[in-house]
């Protein structure tokens, strides 16, 4: 069972993810009923974070093709997220094993899969 982030490593990771997510249009941070920190757009989560035995874990919404690609890599640091993996969610139990740029790209994909088209075009306009 994954619980709230309390370790120094977990708090540092959530600060890094927060800094990235909060740059995206209309993102809100909420703690869900399980104590996970979630980043949402229009109240739909695209990143969820928790911790087990002092090890932070990050789950990101991807599409099923991306999920399958990530899970099939040899020695992959990714896992299918319990309970919601069938919807394309991948978990990264140890983010030290994944380049930060790759995590940012996955967060962007999660946001793009979750946000309304209006917000995506707003985002693309500001990134040109």
């Amino acid at each position: 069972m994954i619980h709230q982030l309390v370790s120094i490593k977990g708090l540092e990771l959530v600060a890094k993810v927060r800094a990235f997510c909060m740059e995206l249009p209309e993102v809100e941070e909420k703690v869900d009923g399980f104590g996970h920190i979630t980043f949402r757009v229009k109240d739909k989560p695209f990143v969820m974070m928790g911790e087990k035995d002092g090890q932070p874990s990050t789950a990101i919404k991807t599409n099923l093709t991306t999920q399958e690609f990530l899970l099939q890599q040899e020695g992959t640091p990714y896992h299918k997220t319990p309970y919601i993996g069938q919807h394309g969610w991948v978990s990264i139990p140890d983010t030290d094993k994944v380049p930060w740029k790759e995590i940012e790209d996955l967060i962007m994909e999660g946001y793009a899969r979750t946000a309304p088209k209006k917000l995506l075009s707003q985002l693309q306009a500001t990134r040109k």
Side-chain angles (χ1 to χ4, degrees):
M1 181 76 182
I2 301 284
H3 300 287
Q4 216 164 345
L5 290 145
V6 290
S7 70
I8 290 170
K9 184 177 180 181
L11 295 173
E12 287 172 353
L13 178 62
V14 81
K16 198 171 180 181
V17 171
R18 178 184 295 124
F20 185 79
C21 288
M22 296 315 253
E23 293 292 314
L24 302 170
E26 295 189 30
V27 169
E28 291 182 315
E29 179 179 338
K30 288 187 176 176
V31 176
D32 71 9
F34 300 100
H36 304 131
I37 293 174
T38 65
F39 294 92
R40 302 165 171 263
V41 60
K42 298 290 181 192
D43 208 34
K44 293 180 182 163
F46 62 97
V47 177
M48 291 191 277
M49 302 179 74
E51 188 171 288
K52 182 178 183 179
D53 301 328
Q55 180 64 44
S57 180
T58 304
I60 304 170
K61 185 174 186 165
T62 65
N63 69 34
L64 292 169
T65 307
T66 301
Q67 181 194 52
E68 190 173 322
F69 171 78
L70 293 171
L71 296 177
Q72 287 182 349
Q73 296 177 54
E74 191 172 322
T76 185
Y78 297 96
H79 298 277
K80 193 180 224 180
T81 306
Y83 310 110
I84 55 174
Q86 74 272 22
H87 302 295
W89 285 81
V90 292
S91 290
I92 313 166
D94 186 356
T95 53
D96 292 342
K97 294 181 178 173
V98 180
W100 179 248
K101 176 72 176 113
E102 192 170 308
I103 293 171
E104 286 182 346
D105 290 347
L106 290 170
I107 291 172
M108 284 301 296
E109 180 179 325
Y111 180 83
R113 295 194 54 73
T114 309
K117 286 183 174 58
K118 180 181 165 197
L119 291 182
L120 292 179
S121 51
Q122 184 182 326
L123 179 64
Q124 288 165 343
T126 59
R127 296 235 162 173
K128 287 183 181 172

